[in-house]
Amino acid sequence: MTLPLTRRRALLALPLAASLPLAAPRRALSATTRPDPALLRGRVAELIGRGDARLDSLSLPQNLAYAGTRPLAIARCAEPAHVASAITWAQENRVPFVLRSGGHSYAGCSVTDGLLVDMRPMSTIRVARDGAVTLGGGVLNHDVYAALRAHELMVTHGRCGGVGASAFLMGGGIGFAMRDRGMGCDAVRAVSLVLADGTEVRATEGDELFWAVRGGGGGNFGAATQWTLAPFPAEPVTLFDLRWRDADPALFLALARALEAAPDRLGSKVTAFAPDRRHGGVPRLTLLGQIRGPRDEAMAILGPVLRMRPATGRVETMAYWDAQALLSEEGEPARYRETSRFTGHVPEALAEEAFRRLRTWPGTSGEALFKMFQVGGRIRAKAPGDTAYVHRDAEWLTGTEITWGAADSPARVEAAMGWQRAFHWASDALADAPGGSFQNFVDPGLEDPAEAYYGANRQRLAALRARLDPNGAFAPPRRQGIA
Ligand SMILES: Cc1cc2nc3c(=O)[nH]c(=O)nc-3n(C[C@H](O)[C@H](O)[C@H](O)COP(=O)(O)OP(=O)(O)OC[C@H]3O[C@@H](n4cnc5c(N)ncnc54)[C@H](O)[C@@H]3O)c2cc1C
């Protein structure tokens, strides 16, 4: 196989027999064919098998809707050689495997009844004198934030510290700073991955794999073991958190238009909640975000929004990481499902339809909402084909979110999901170009996920995947996959 990459070295702790069928077709495990993962002991940092009390807690996904599946074993990996050993053992023994970092896949893509390859022990973070940040492949975002804060640096990042940095970056990575600083993946300067054949490669600008990891999705090409990022200075921001009661489409649209007119230094999220008795039975609306730069400029930018008379609110200028501490949202494990849809300017009909649908929410013990992240700005500094992250031309990323609890009946959950799917297809029809869904918000209900996530980049990604992983060893569930 010829790769436009610097192939560093084979990493296997044990040599691979040349004749081994590397990645036999996946199949479900049965009691009679179950291989013994104990053979991996000594070749990974730690092996946790069935019977070990920690298996349940370490394998629990953040979305509890997928908590019913337990792995055969967990291979904890502290260095690339461990990852190579784990995935090679899995392929030799025809055991399905998945990589796990933060476990925050919306659709349980890091859940398996085979081998869970736990990347979390690869958690080293270094900040060089020139500011370049090197991250281990299993680092969680809250550790990245702590390291950046200590050096007064930042990159585009999300609000939940429990998310794994690797998959966040591989899906593009959105956050309040993205219109100002580009997508999270735009700060990547180099990445190392262990591929299906157990070798580790380092990819940089000009390499096809470097193109692919910036938007091609977690788990699709190999196990990311190290990242190098070029961060920005962490400058003060004005945080805004404004709330309205009894909102309507006119307010929603007016807000969207005011935000669209704002400079790229503003990042925002608008959320409209389905009416619920706990909040007076009226649709609530929130606007959350930040603006980089001096307070007087921020107040001038926010003027049109503040004139829309929020019921409550907070607008405060502060040091960058102090603001992030207030904006952070540690998603506790819960049962939920999300949809997403990129659009240009928000059509009036979409706002009308969203509020009409919110009022018909059938209800669970959780909640339902329609949200819009403002994109555009510096995200457009790259063209859709410059990296695998194809959604560069959009103005907004819209979507619905529903949550429910363990006590909700299956029929109630099904009704809620039906409502959400109908909402998604209605907004799909009403949204403005360019369309598509966000690969970091994996949606199991999409008919053609590869098209929705990768669009015009789909064929190029599939060709690379076929070259690097011809037998489909890294075969994430179809709901997340490329082909
Ligand atoms: C509460 C919450 C908040 C979120 N906020 C944001 C946000 O603000 N912005 C945003 O862009 N996204 C956000 N996300 C989405 C998140 O970025 C994706 O779900 C991401 O894939 C989660 O990564 P993880 O490591 O936590 O999850 P995991 O479930 O561990 O992994 C997700 C996928 O990536 C693979 N993977 C894991 N580690 C590696 C690795 N080292 N190398 C290669 N593949 C790997 C897994 O096999 C799986 O297929 C949020 C998700 C949640 C649940």
Side-chain angles (χ1 to χ4, degrees):
M1 179 169 55
T2 315
L3 287 172
L5 299 167
T6 321
R7 184 166 308 268
R8 286 215 300 230
R9 61 203 154 108
L11 287 160
L12 302 180
L14 287 180
L16 238 194
S19 59
L20 282 175
L22 260 188
R26 290 176 164 233
R27 57 186 173 146
L29 294 174
S30 76
T32 49
T33 58
R34 188 158 285 161
D36 184 7
L39 294 174
L40 265 176
R41 251 189 202 104
R43 292 197 273 156
V44 295
E46 189 181 11
L47 189 78
I48 297 172
R50 293 221 169 128
D52 186 319
R54 293 169 303 160
L55 187 115
D56 276 4
S57 58
L58 280 172
S59 63
L60 195 73
Q62 198 261 354
N63 188 344
L64 297 178
Y66 298 93
T69 306
R70 286 286 174 276
L72 178 64
I74 303 175
R76 307 208 78 204
C77 299
E79 51 189 72
H82 297 158
V83 181
S85 294
I87 67 172
T88 302
W89 176 87
Q91 291 174 77
E92 287 172 1
N93 289 283
R94 303 182 180 203
V95 172
F97 71 86
V98 291
L99 308 169
R100 163 72 64 88
S101 291
H104 277 54
S105 166
Y106 280 3
C109 294
S110 61
V111 165
T112 181
D113 66 353
L115 185 68
L116 190 70
V117 181
D118 184 359
M119 305 292 288
R120 276 170 293 186
M122 301 185 75
S123 57
T124 314
I125 304 180
R126 286 194 312 274
V127 182
R129 274 171 200 265
D130 66 357
V133 179
T134 307
L135 309 175
V139 161
L140 301 186
N141 276 343
H142 51 63
D143 293 327
V144 182
Y145 305 162
L148 291 172
R149 180 174 197 153
H151 291 81
E152 293 182 32
L153 296 168
M154 58 79 68
V155 290
T156 292
H157 60 87
R159 294 168 63 202
C160 176
V163 166
S166 285
F168 170 84
L169 293 168
M170 288 169 128
I174 65 163
F176 284 130
M178 65 187 150
R179 301 182 70 238
D180 190 23
R181 303 300 197 182
M183 298 292 292
C185 71
D186 294 342
V188 175
R189 294 297 174 265
V191 62
S192 297
L193 289 101
V194 171
L195 301 179
D197 65 2
T199 56
E200 190 188 35
V201 295
R202 180 177 156 83
T204 55
E205 193 62 60
D207 293 331
E208 189 68 354
L209 186 54
F210 187 65
W211 173 84
V213 294
R214 293 171 296 159
N220 278 320
F221 297 97
T225 51
Q226 193 179 79
W227 296 87
T228 306
L229 307 180
F232 302 90
E235 297 174 30
V237 291
T238 298
L239 168 153
F240 49 93
D241 178 356
L242 306 170
R243 294 158 193 240
W244 289 260
R245 283 172 49 78
D246 205 2
D248 59 25
L251 171 66
F252 192 82
L253 265 184
L255 263 181
R257 297 287 175 257
L259 294 164
E260 284 166 1
D264 298 350
R265 289 183 287 115
L266 173 143
S268 73
K269 176 187 178 190
V270 184
T271 309
F273 294 83
D276 95 42
R277 277 201 306 278
R278 284 163 293 193
H279 296 96
V282 293
R284 291 169 298 130
L285 195 144
T286 62
L287 169 65
L288 196 61
Q290 66 186 34
I291 307 173
R292 179 173 61 85
R295 181 179 168 79
D296 52 343
E297 285 179 26
M299 294 311 289
I301 294 167
L302 280 178
V305 167
L306 294 172
R307 283 194 284 281
M308 292 177 209
R309 299 181 174 281
T312 58
R314 170 178 197 169
V315 180
E316 206 173 326
T317 306
M318 60 187 89
Y320 181 83
W321 285 107
D322 288 346
Q324 304 316 307
L326 292 170
L327 289 168
S328 89
E329 192 179 46
E330 282 308 325
E332 291 300 316
R335 290 166 181 78
Y336 59 89
R337 186 174 273 203
E338 300 220 3
T339 64
S340 66
R341 210 309 182 172
F342 287 96
T343 184
H345 298 284
V346 185
E348 208 176 312
L350 177 60
E352 295 280 352
E353 185 66 11
F355 274 80
R356 194 183 73 71
R357 298 242 170 212
L358 286 171
R359 288 186 187 276
T360 64
W361 162 238
T364 61
S365 60
E367 64 180 5
L369 53 89
F370 178 64
K371 59 187 173 184
M372 303 205 308
F373 299 91
Q374 196 175 0
V375 289
R378 291 290 301 168
I379 297 169
R380 292 167 186 259
K382 292 190 192 304
D386 286 352
T387 66
Y389 183 78
V390 75
H391 317 287
R392 301 262 176 195
D393 290 339
E395 291 289 337
W396 294 93
L397 170 57
T398 72
T400 62
E401 180 181 327
I402 61 170
T403 56
W404 63 93
D408 287 309
S409 69
R412 203 171 191 208
V413 175
E414 203 173 305
M417 284 186 183
W419 172 88
Q420 183 182 41
R421 196 56 23 212
F423 195 152
H424 175 75
W425 293 125
S427 48
D428 200 51
L430 292 171
D432 189 14
S437 295
F438 183 34
Q439 49 271 56
N440 263 356
F441 295 173
V442 177
D443 173 1
L446 288 176
E447 277 167 16
D448 188 350
E451 187 58 33
Y453 299 146
Y454 310 114
N457 289 335
R458 174 184 188 174
Q459 302 305 335
R460 187 171 164 186
L461 284 165
L464 179 68
R465 207 178 116 67
R467 199 146 54 89
L468 296 183
D469 184 11
N471 298 312
F474 286 98
R478 181 190 160 273
R479 53 186 180 265
Q480 185 191 315
I482 280 168

